[in-house]
Amino acid sequence: MSDETKTPEPDGPLIDVAEKPDNAAISGSAALPQDELNQLTDGIVTALKTVYDPEIPADIYELGLIYKIDIADDRSVKVDMSLTSPNCPSAQELPIMVENAVSSVPGVKETKVSVVGDPP
């Protein structure tokens, strides 16, 4: 297992993720079994790829609007995302769409979405 397939756990060891994300930092609790963490990660990314910006024919994950996904040991998920522009007409609905998509993944307990102005 190379460092390219590991993501740092906040205040903890490096953990393996199912695949290295192209545009989002994904961290998960080292307390979760690796298979379960991989399954949650795959499900969350798949769910995010179903959310499309209404003005652009591309999903928000591929657009790079998802910056961070944090999976806690209680299986709650925090997502940091951005909008396509500061004046995005979908500013109210996109975070709700992300929350609903991630919450629909089996095993996810609770989802919180934060809109951040600047990428990390």
Side-chain angles (χ1 to χ4, degrees), residues 17 19-26 45 49 61-64 66-67:
V17 293
E19 69 180 51
K20 184 177 177 185
D22 294 325
N23 58 4
I26 301 176
V45 170
K49 288 182 176 187
Y61 189 82
E62 295 300 325
L63 284 172
I66 303 298
Y67 295 136

Side-chain angles (χ1 to χ4, degrees), residues 25-97:
I26 301 176
S27 62
S29 172
L32 292 176
Q34 189 61 50
D35 288 342
E36 182 178 356
L37 183 59
N38 290 345
Q39 185 176 5
L40 284 171
T41 300
D42 289 346
I44 291 167
V45 170
T46 299
L48 289 170
K49 288 182 176 187
T50 68
V51 179
Y52 283 77
D53 185 309
E55 297 185 322
I56 302 172
D59 69 76
I60 62 167
Y61 189 82
E62 295 300 325
L63 284 172
L65 299 181
I66 303 298
Y67 295 136
K68 182 179 177 185
I69 302 166
D70 183 28
I71 305 168
D73 58 355
D74 68 352
R75 294 159 187 80
S76 62
V77 177
K78 294 180 185 174
V79 177
D80 287 349
M81 67 172 289
S82 184
L83 302 170
T84 53
S85 74
N87 298 322
C88 178
S90 301
Q92 298 298 318
E93 62 193 68
L94 275 177
I96 294 168
M97 292 166 65

